[in-house]
Amino acid sequence: LGVCYHPLHISIKVVNARIMNLFQSVTSALDNTLASDPTAVIFGEDVAFGGVFRCTVGLRDKYGKDRVFNTPLCEQGIVGFGIGAAVAGATAIAEIQFADYIYPAFDQIVNEAAKYRYRSGNLFDCGNLTIRAPWGCVGHGSLYHSQSPEAFFAHCPGIKVVIPRGPVQCKGLLLSCIADQNPCIFFEPKILYRAAVEQVPTEAYTIPLSQAEVIQEGSDVTLVAWGTQIHVLTEVANMAQEKLGVSCELIDLQTILPWDTETVCKSVAKTGRLLISHEAPITGGFAAEISSTVQEECFLNLEAPIARVCGYDTPFPHIFEPFYIPDKWKCFDAIKKLIIY
């Protein structure tokens, strides 16, 4: 297996691959890790049984109950245990059953894990900790199973936050998080667990963190997103080309913190227009950070105000989810406004 990287594209030379959906690519990455690293342990609520989304199916039977095991229903305890295990030298992979329930562990993540190395002057750290969590809307999740909390953690130096868009990226980025010497939060778009299917290498490979990927090159508008929203903007870019003759450059940010400012700013300097879209509420969402940075770096290149198409500043609704999410029609309308400004 060899992995080749290019500033505008990531390609994987495959020796052995098979069709996997996104949750199977997670399982494959965890399987590779457990097989190659005898210190690796996986723990969380129900992971020994395969997990709610089946991401750890078969791993306890293959590697034993001492390496893949259930925890009490206590997110603060899960992350606290993970910090201790990582400090002791283990490769700790913690699962929070839903990203919505990561908040009880917030103190352990931002006050302990993120600051562990800094407060000791690099004498000790918990960099071998990776926290996985299903993330984003799913069509029927309502208030407590639909949230996208990446912006909360993007405010905290000392951790990395990563969100993949599909099975190939999911496995490569997850293995990069596990190998990275900093605590990482890996959010998995739950609606894509079974919807996204690709040829994925069975062997281990990595995709570099903090490197955005230009999925489609264009000349008129830059579109930036991550996770599920990449698939929405892919359709929007095709609509813009067919209906408006507008050429869109689509960028998958992939890593939220630290994010790839160079790739985004280079694109905006070329197109002069930027649309950022995410499911999380618009106020304080990570789109605001991207918008501010691009405005500072590319002010003289901008042909129109930066557009943000995001969730509303309300709790995530149930029956009104179709009206809440930033769908293709909202994004397409934003592109029309950018072009005629």
Side-chain angles (χ1 to χ4, degrees), residues 67-321:
R67 301 188 65 197
V68 182
F69 50 89
N70 291 337
T71 65
L73 201 161
C74 177
E75 287 77 15
Q76 184 177 15
I78 292 171
V79 175
F81 172 82
I83 293 170
V87 171
T91 297
I93 305 169
E95 179 184 294
I96 303 297
Q97 198 165 81
F98 287 88
D100 311 63
Y101 298 117
I102 204 168
Y103 302 121
F106 196 81
D107 176 65
Q108 288 295 313
I109 295 170
V110 304
N111 263 341
E112 305 300 335
K115 297 173 174 61
Y116 220 97
R117 186 194 307 275
Y118 183 83
R119 76 179 190 181
S120 72
N122 201 32
L123 290 176
F124 47 85
D125 67 81
C126 59
N128 289 336
L129 171 64
T130 301
I131 302 166
R132 298 177 39 250
W135 164 97
C137 75
V138 70
H140 51 267
S142 193
L143 283 76
Y144 298 123
H145 299 83
S146 303
Q147 296 174 68
S148 303
E150 65 271 17
F152 288 104
F153 300 101
H155 190 62
C156 182
I159 55 177
K160 295 187 177 182
V161 182
V162 180
I163 305 174
R165 72 174 184 274
V168 170
Q169 288 73 28
C170 185
K171 181 173 178 177
L173 291 169
L174 178 53
L175 287 172
S176 290
C177 285
I178 294 169
D180 196 271
Q181 292 305 297
N182 298 279
C184 295
I185 300 176
F186 191 77
F187 288 126
E188 300 160 7
K190 69 175 79 73
I191 200 170
L192 300 181
Y193 271 138
R194 288 168 174 77
V197 179
E198 294 173 334
Q199 283 276 357
V200 180
T202 55
E203 297 92 344
Y205 63 94
T206 57
I207 294 174
L209 304 181
S210 296
Q211 181 174 310
E213 182 179 357
V214 179
I215 298 173
Q216 174 180 309
E217 295 191 3
S219 58
D220 300 323
V221 181
T222 298
L223 309 179
V224 175
W226 46 90
T228 311
Q229 206 61 17
I230 284 293
H231 300 277
V232 174
L233 290 187
T234 298
E235 189 173 359
V236 171
N238 293 334
M239 291 169 58
Q241 184 66 60
E242 294 170 6
K243 299 179 181 296
L244 306 174
V246 171
S247 172
C248 295
E249 182 148 298
L250 178 58
I251 298 176
D252 179 4
L253 201 61
Q254 299 192 121
T255 301
I256 306 302
L257 183 74
W259 66 288
D260 185 354
T261 60
E262 182 178 353
T263 296
V264 174
C265 289
K266 181 179 178 181
S267 175
V268 175
K270 176 177 66 173
T271 65
R273 299 173 179 86
L274 173 62
L275 184 152
I276 314 157
S277 184
H278 58 61
E279 292 178 9
I282 188 168
T283 299
F286 197 67
E289 176 63 29
I290 298 172
S291 178
S292 177
T293 300
V294 169
Q295 191 271 343
E296 292 171 2
E297 298 293 329
C298 306
F299 180 73
L300 295 179
N301 301 102
L302 290 172
E303 301 290 343
I306 297 168
R308 292 179 292 160
V309 182
C310 308
Y312 298 117
D313 291 333
T314 69
F316 203 101
H318 187 194
I319 61 172
F320 294 120
E321 178 175 313

